[in-house]
Amino acid sequence: MRVDLNADVGESFGACTVGDDGALMPAITSASIAAGFHGGDPTILRATIRLARSAGVAIGAHPGLPDLAGFGRRDMALTPREVEDLTLYQVAAVAGVAAAEGVRLQHVKPHGAFYSRAVHDRAWADAIARGVAAIDRLLIVVGPAGSALLDAAREQGLPTAAEVFADRAYQAEGALLPRNRPGAVLTDPAVVVPRAIRMVREQAVVASDGTVVPRAVETICVHGDTPGAAALAASVRAGLEAAGIEVRALRAP
Amino acid sequence: MRVDLNADVGESFGACTVGDDGALMPAITSASIAAGFHGGDPTILRATIRLARSAGVAIGAHPGLPDLAGFGRRDMALTPREVEDLTLYQVAAVAGVAAAEGVRLQHVKPHGAFYSRAVHDRAWADAIARGVAAIDRLLIVVGPAGSALLDAAREQGLPTAAEVFADRAYQAEGALLPRNRPGAVLTDPAVVVPRAIRMVREQAVVASDGTVVPRAVETICVHGDTPGAAALAASVRAGLEAAGIEVRALRAP
Amino acid sequence: MRVDLNADVGESFGACTVGDDGALMPAITSASIAAGFHGGDPTILRATIRLARSAGVAIGAHPGLPDLAGFGRRDMALTPREVEDLTLYQVAAVAGVAAAEGVRLQHVKPHGAFYSRAVHDRAWADAIARGVAAIDRLLIVVGPAGSALLDAAREQGLPTAAEVFADRAYQAEGALLPRNRPGAVLTDPAVVVPRAIRMVREQAVVASDGTVVPRAVETICVHGDTPGAAALAASVRAGLEAAGIEVRALRAP
Amino acid sequence: MRVDLNADVGESFGACTVGDDGALMPAITSASIAAGFHGGDPTILRATIRLARSAGVAIGAHPGLPDLAGFGRRDMALTPREVEDLTLYQVAAVAGVAAAEGVRLQHVKPHGAFYSRAVHDRAWADAIARGVAAIDRLLIVVGPAGSALLDAAREQGLPTAAEVFADRAYQAEGALLPRNRPGAVLTDPAVVVPRAIRMVREQAVVASDGTVVPRAVETICVHGDTPGAAALAASVRAGLEAAGIEVRALRAP
C-alpha cells in the first residue's frame, strides 16, 4: 500500500506569513505551491520551490482565484474562459519558475473555492483541465475521486490523483464540511493520524456521522495553514509508515 | 513626567496575520491603525477600532504606500499630489469608520516608507500635512522631533507629537538604523525597557555608538509586527510606570 | 413632474480611463463616485468630486466589490459582515474626501454585482443598509423600487430613491436583462430618450417583450462607461426637459 | 538597411482599455506583451498573444513593477532579489502562455520605471538579466545601446537589441526627456516619421537641442498607449519602407 502526502505551501505574501513551510516540507512528499493570486508572490514562489527541491519534495502548481483579500476561499462568478486563462497563466508561471530551478512540475491542484467549485461544476472543471492540458499533458490533476474535476481531466487526456483531506471533516454524502462549520478543521493528531491510516487502508472517507463513503485515495492533504500543520503532517507521515503504508510522491522526481 | 505608548496595529490582511493586536492593546495608550493600503482591510480595520475602543486606547490613522506586497516599506516615486490624495483617502476612511464606532481620531502617523520619506522630504511632508489638515485640524501628526513632517504639520496649524522608537537602533546623527542592517530591530526587554525610560527622562535617543542625541519625546513606539511585541510593550509600560513616568494617550479620549 | 439623472463616474484607474467624466458631468444631476474597490483611486476620487462640485452635481458614494480585475461585475461569496464592512469603509472614504472638498454626500448606490445582489438578497441588502446607516442616516440609498435594498434601507430609517436604467433592457418580470445578453445595453438616443420620458410619465419600465411593469421612478441612470455616454446623457436630459419634466438632484446641494 | 518596429501591448486591465492593440498589431513586427503586474491580466495576455500570432508579429514579454495603480511608471525601491524574481515570474508566465499558443518568445523588454532604472542601475540590470537567463538563454534583451541593461544581458550570454523611441524626445546627453516634461511625447507623424528614418540611417538619436547622439538602432518603439498610436505606427512603418529600410522582426518567427 502506498500514498502521497501533500500540503499547500508558499501562501505567504509580503510581510504576512501563512504556515511554516520550512518545518512542513520534510514531512510531505508533494507540495502544491501558490501562484500569486490567492497567496504567494514571485520571491516566495521561488524560495518555496527551492525549499521543496532541497527536501526532495515533488512540486505542483496551486492556482487560485484572484482574491488575495479572501485568500481565494470566496466563490466568484467567473466565466469558463476566465477560469481557463487564470489556470493557464498561473500554471505557466509556476512551471516556468520551477524549470528555471531545474525542476519539472508533477501536478496541479486548484486552491480553495477554485477547487470546491471544480468538484461539482463541470464547466469550471473543463476550463481548468483545458488550461492545464495547454501547458503539459503529463501534469497530474489532483482532486477528489468522482469529482467533475477528475472527469474533465481524464477527458483532456491528463493523468489524475484522487485526494482526501486528513484534517477536514466530511459530510454523510462525502462532501467536505464547509470551513465555517464547527469541527470542520481537525487538528488533533490523535484523531487525524488513525483517520489517515483508515482512509488509505479502506480507500474511503468517514463522515462526521460515521458513514463510510468508499473513495479512491492516492494522495492525502494536510493544509499548510492549519495551526500546527508541520507537527500534524509529521505525525501523519510517521503513523502511515508505522502502519506499513509507503509514503511517496505521485511520480518519482 | 509622562509619555504616550503607541503601536501600529490592524495590519493583518485576509488570511495573513501580522502581530497579535488583542494581546498588544492592553499595553499601549495609542493605536495607529492601518488603512488598507500597506496592510489591513475593511473588516480588520473595524474590528481593530472596536478592540482599541474596548481597551480605552486612543485611535489614530496609519496611512501607507499602496504596496501591500512590500508592506509599505519600499519607497515609491509618488508625486506630492498622489501623496496628499493617498493621505486624505486613508485618513478619511479610518476617521469615518471610527466615527461610525463612536470614536474620534486622535492622531495620524504615516507608515513605513511613507514615514521615513516624510522625515526628510519636505514636499512629501507638506503633502501629508495638507491631506491631514483637509480632514480635521485637530488631528495630531506623529513623527520624529525635528523632522520635515512635524515642521510641515505645524505650518498647516496641526498639533504634533514627537516620537521615538524603543525597539529600533539609532545612528549617531539621530536617524534610525535601516531595517535591513543587523541589530536594527531590538527585541530584548532587558535592552528596550531601560532604553525607553532613558529616552523619556533625558528627552534624547542613544545611538548605537553611544552618542546621546537630544530629542523631544512625547510618544514611544513599539512596532506591532516585531516578534514578541505584546510582551515587549507590556514590559515597557510596566518599566515606565515603575520609573514614575505616567503613561497615557496624547489626548484624553 | 421631476426626476434625477444619475451616472456612475470616477471609475478610471491608474493609466486606464473608464468613461469621459468631464463631458458627462454637465448632463447629469447626481454622480455616483467609485470608491477604489471596483474602480477609482484616491487621486481620481478627489478630482471627480471637484469636477462634480464645479458642475453643481450632487455627489454619492458608489461602493463596489473588491474586484478591480472584474470591474466589480462578478458576484463574490462574501459574508454579510464583509458586505457591511466594505460598505462602511468605502462610504466613509468618499464622504470624508467629499467633506474635505466642502461637499456633503447625497446618496449611496452600490455598483455592479454589489447592486444586483442587493436587489434580491436581503442579507446583503441589510448589511449594506447597516453600513450606510452607521455613517449618516440622511444618506439616500439608491436602488430599484421594490428591491430588498430599498426595503432594508427603509428599515434602517434611511431615505431611498427608486432608480431605473434608461440604457438597459428589462425582462418581462421587471429585472434587468443581464449584460452578457444581446441587446442588454442600449446606446441609441432615438431609443433611449423616449424610453426615459415614458419611464417618468408612466412610472413604469417597459420590458423587451413590451410588457409594462409599474415601477416608481425617482432617478434615471445612464452608465458612465457605456460608449457615447456623455452625448446620450445630454440627449436624455434635453429630451426630459423638452417633455416638461424637471431634471434635478434628489436633494438640493 | 533594416530595423524592427516594436510596441507595448496587452496593457488593458479588466474594464479598462489601454491602447488599441487590434489596430496597432498590423503595423508592427514585434510586440512586447504586459505580464499582469503593471497592466494586463491572464485573459488579455492570452488574447493579445493570439492577436500577435495571427498578425505574424514576434512576441516578447514586457515585465513591469508591481504597481497597477501607477502603470509601472513609478520607481520603487526593490532589492535586486525582488527584481530578479519579478522578472523570472513574469517572463515565465508570458513564455508559458505563448508556448501553449504555439509561439516561442523572441525577446524581453522591461516596462516603464523597470526599464528606466535598468538603463543606469547595474544591480537592477544584472538582476533582470539573471531572471531572463534563468528562463531561456536565447531570449533577446531589448534596451538602449550603451545601457547597463544591455551590458548585463551580454554578460549573461544573452543576445541584445538596441532600441530607440520614435515618439519620445531625447536630452542632449542621450537620455529620454522624462514623461512629465512638455514635449516629452511626440505624436505628430510629420515629426515622428522622418525622425525614425533618420535614426535608422544615421544610427543616432537627435536631442531636443539638435545634438546628434550616435546610437545603435536595431528596434524602434512606438508606445501603444500614446494617443493615435496605431496610425502613428502605420505611418512610421510606411515611411521606413518608402525610404528603403526593411522592417522586420529581430528574429524570424
Side-chain angles (χ1 to χ4, degrees), chain B residues 35 43 46 84-85 88-89 100 134, chain C residues 35 43 46 84-85 88-89 100 134:
Chain B
T43 291
R46 193 177 195 186
E84 181 178 338
D85 295 345
L88 177 56
Y89 181 97
Chain C
T43 290
R46 194 177 193 185
E84 180 178 339
D85 295 343
L88 177 57
Y89 181 96

Side-chain angles (χ1 to χ4, degrees), chain D residues 174-247:
Chain D
L176 290 172
L177 192 66
R179 279 188 171 270
N180 57 3
R181 300 270 285 280
V185 178
L186 310 173
T187 58
D188 181 358
V191 172
V192 175
V193 174
R195 180 177 172 79
I197 295 168
R198 189 172 173 194
M199 283 169 156
V200 181
R201 282 199 175 140
E202 303 188 12
Q203 295 283 302
V205 297
V206 183
S208 303
D209 69 354
T211 309
V212 177
V213 185
R215 166 100 32 116
V217 176
E218 294 166 284
T219 183
I220 297 181
C221 179
V222 175
H223 284 87
D225 68 316
T226 302
L232 186 61
S235 299
V236 169
R237 180 165 191 168
L240 288 167
E241 292 177 338
I245 298 165
E246 184 187 9
V247 181

Side-chain angles (χ1 to χ4, degrees), chain A residues 206-223:
Chain A
V206 182
S208 303
D209 69 353
T211 309
V212 177
V213 185
R215 168 100 28 115
V217 176
E218 292 167 285
T219 183
I220 296 181
C221 179
V222 174
H223 285 87

